[in-house]
Amino acid sequence: MLNFAHGWLEMGLTNSEVCYLTGLNKNAVKDIDMERLQTLYTVVDAEGKYSLAKPEKQARFFGIDEFNLHDGYKYATIIVDMETGHALLLEKGKKKAVVYDFIDYVGLDWMDVVEAVACDMNSDFQDAFEKKCPHI
């Protein structure tokens, strides 16, 4: 049943649809999907902590946006490869430090290949990219 649920989730069905097709409880399907996503996008270090896996393919274009976590008080920022949809970074906060952490994470050599960054009206992100990687 686990492999069956994995297969439907990999095909792009929602958790609700997989619940309906398999008869599994929504929490069971949620746990199966969480495990599937962790194996796709994360690596585990020696201390047992999860972190996003470095992308296999060099990104040329990526997007950055912040989103609300809880009632307007806590935010997180996501950076996504616009060509593949791969999440490159997911971190709490919405300040310049998030961009600096990302650049430190992938390295300046990796950033030299990046051609463009799409972001919203958050000028902190733009300022941070212009300071660290003026060619973008």
Side-chain angles (χ1 to χ4, degrees):
M1 186 60 75
L2 177 68
N3 291 336
F4 187 62
H6 265 275
W8 288 117
L9 291 165
E10 287 173 5
M11 288 176 42
L13 271 64
T14 65
N15 288 7
S16 297
E17 292 168 331
V18 174
C19 288
Y20 178 77
L21 290 170
T22 61
L24 292 171
N25 177 286
K26 68 179 182 176
N27 292 327
V29 172
K30 180 181 169 187
D31 291 344
I32 291 168
D33 196 29
M34 179 64 75
E35 177 190 336
R36 181 183 70 86
L37 292 171
Q38 284 179 336
T39 59
L40 283 176
Y41 298 114
T42 61
V43 292
V44 182
D45 65 11
E47 298 172 4
K49 292 183 180 180
Y50 287 96
S51 63
L52 283 174
K54 287 194 177 182
E56 294 175 8
K57 181 183 172 207
Q58 173 67 53
R60 294 181 310 133
F61 309 101
F62 54 82
I64 181 170
D65 199 11
E66 75 278 352
F67 57 93
N68 185 358
L69 288 174
H70 302 288
D71 302 325
Y73 299 108
K74 297 191 187 252
Y75 288 86
T77 300
I78 187 164
I79 299 177
V80 177
D81 181 335
M82 299 296 282
E83 293 179 305
T84 65
H86 185 97
L88 302 174
L89 182 81
L90 179 62
E91 190 171 310
K92 288 182 181 178
K94 62 174 188 170
K95 304 285 183 196
K96 288 181 184 181
V98 174
V99 174
Y100 295 147
D101 289 346
F102 173 72
I103 293 169
D104 292 342
Y105 174 67
V106 296
L108 290 174
D109 292 337
W110 194 87
M111 292 298 294
D112 285 342
V113 179
V114 176
E115 296 176 30
V117 177
C119 61
D120 61 6
M121 300 298 288
N122 187 337
S123 62
D124 284 346
F125 295 153
Q126 181 178 345
D127 292 343
F129 280 112
E130 287 176 351
K131 181 177 179 184
K132 287 280 203 169
C133 304
H135 71 279
I136 298 176

